[in-house]
Amino acid sequence: MQDLIKSVVKDMMPPGLLRLLRPSPGPADAWGTVRYGAHGLVLPGNRRFEYRPCPADRSVCRQIFFLREYATDHLRRAREIASFYEACENPLIVDAGANIGAAAVWYALTYPKAKIVAIEPDISNFALLKKNAQAFPSITPLNAAIAARRGTLYLNDPGGGEWAFRTAEQPVEKGYAVEALTLEDVMPASGVTPFILKIDIEGAESDLFSRHCDALNMFPVVMIELHDWMLPGESNSRNFLQWHVEMKRDFVQVGENAVSISNSIALT
């Protein structure tokens, strides 16, 4: 009951007051800090990151900008990952399930020479993603779903809020059609070196990893949220785990995300 009360109070409390009450922050990003402003987050260079006044958007911002859930500098192999990035002329980051663009913007600040492809199927999320990406020319937003095969899928709302829209092969009430693209479709044909593949696609990872795809293993770092907790009895993470074992990569669990790190990480 106490946890429920705390959650309700946090959702009702203004973000600025929440920040004042928050314990002192942990490790900071090299590019600076983020603070709450009147209409969203204030980023270095007085750039703005907008989000809706809803629990889902606030939680996304907290996880990515304040808790740094996509940072790799605390990993045992952090130096290898950093060296790989430094050795790349044009590193590529693919953000599959970009939501309103928080991870894409964090990546743009953290890895300024990287090209970032941010894929988001939901129209309302994509509108904010596109707006937040305007100050970052390195981010290319795509209004589509990532899938094992190109075609058409349907975006359905299971009632979990703005961060829980799910793709399916058949529509339900209030569902609508979205373009499905493969990883190969969204990757530039040449001129880039795959670096990080971030995946948070609400259970659609089962489909994404259902097809053998050489492009997946081209990324030295794959960061993925698995959704067995959300889809009990479906073995939703099985295809990813089988792929990971077959590729002989390191597996590290960091908060909500599984991190799959190539054991041949050096540039070839």
Side-chain angles (χ1 to χ4, degrees), residues 92-254:
L92 172 68
I93 298 173
V94 174
D95 181 357
N99 195 258
I100 61 173
V105 168
W106 186 87
Y107 279 132
L109 290 166
T110 305
Y111 302 107
K113 68 177 180 177
K115 177 179 176 58
I116 301 156
V117 179
I119 310 151
E120 171 56 41
D122 176 64
I123 296 171
S124 59
N125 287 342
F126 181 76
L128 263 182
L129 161 63
K130 193 173 181 180
K131 191 171 186 179
N132 286 324
Q134 285 178 349
F136 299 91
S138 61
I139 301 176
T140 301
L142 293 178
N143 187 202
I146 195 83
R149 293 164 185 80
R150 188 185 308 145
T152 299
L153 292 171
Y154 295 90
L155 195 66
N156 300 323
D157 180 5
E162 291 79 358
W163 57 2
F165 295 110
R166 295 175 56 196
T167 54
E169 293 184 357
Q170 299 296 327
V172 298
E173 186 180 359
K174 297 183 181 179
Y176 56 90
V178 295
E179 182 181 14
L181 299 174
T182 67
L183 182 58
E184 296 96 327
D185 290 332
V186 305
M187 291 172 63
S190 61
V192 295
T193 301
F195 175 40
I196 295 175
L197 172 59
K198 171 256 177 184
I199 306 169
D200 187 359
I201 51 179
E202 304 307 314
E205 59 269 18
S206 178
D207 168 72
L208 179 61
F209 285 89
S210 66
R211 174 179 68 91
H212 178 80
C213 171
D214 290 336
L216 287 167
N217 199 40
M218 292 171 64
F219 288 85
V221 180
V222 176
M223 306 189 78
I224 181 171
E225 180 176 347
L226 301 173
H227 291 87
D228 284 343
W229 62 270
M230 187 176 74
L231 302 165
E234 295 187 17
S235 300
N236 191 261
S237 63
R238 179 179 179 179
N239 290 338
F240 164 75
L241 294 172
Q242 285 183 331
W243 168 84
H244 173 86
V245 170
E246 289 171 5
M247 296 299 108
K248 300 180 180 179
R249 299 165 66 102
D250 281 350
F251 183 97
V252 183
Q253 187 71 34
V254 181

Side-chain angles (χ1 to χ4, degrees), residues 31-54:
W31 43 261
T33 58
V34 176
R35 61 182 174 85
Y36 287 104
H39 303 288
L41 300 178
V42 181
L43 306 174
N46 206 34
R47 289 171 288 195
R48 295 292 196 273
F49 184 90
E50 294 189 24
Y51 62 91
R52 297 160 294 206
C54 63

Side-chain angles (χ1 to χ4, degrees), residues 45 78 90:
N90 297 294

Side-chain angles (χ1 to χ4, degrees), residues 42-110:
V42 181
L43 306 174
N46 206 34
R47 289 171 288 195
R48 295 292 196 273
F49 184 90
E50 294 189 24
Y51 62 91
R52 297 160 294 206
C54 63
D57 283 15
R58 289 181 184 176
S59 184
V60 164
C61 290
R62 179 174 179 271
Q63 289 174 349
I64 293 171
F65 289 109
F66 295 102
L67 299 181
R68 305 175 70 243
E69 290 201 350
Y70 290 112
T72 60
D73 52 11
H74 60 288
L75 298 175
R76 293 288 295 271
R77 300 185 66 185
R79 189 170 298 177
E80 287 178 77
I81 295 169
S83 296
F84 183 93
Y85 168 73
E86 293 299 332
C88 291
E89 264 189 59
N90 297 294
L92 172 68
I93 298 173
V94 174
D95 181 357
N99 195 258
I100 61 173
V105 168
W106 186 87
Y107 279 132
L109 290 166
T110 305

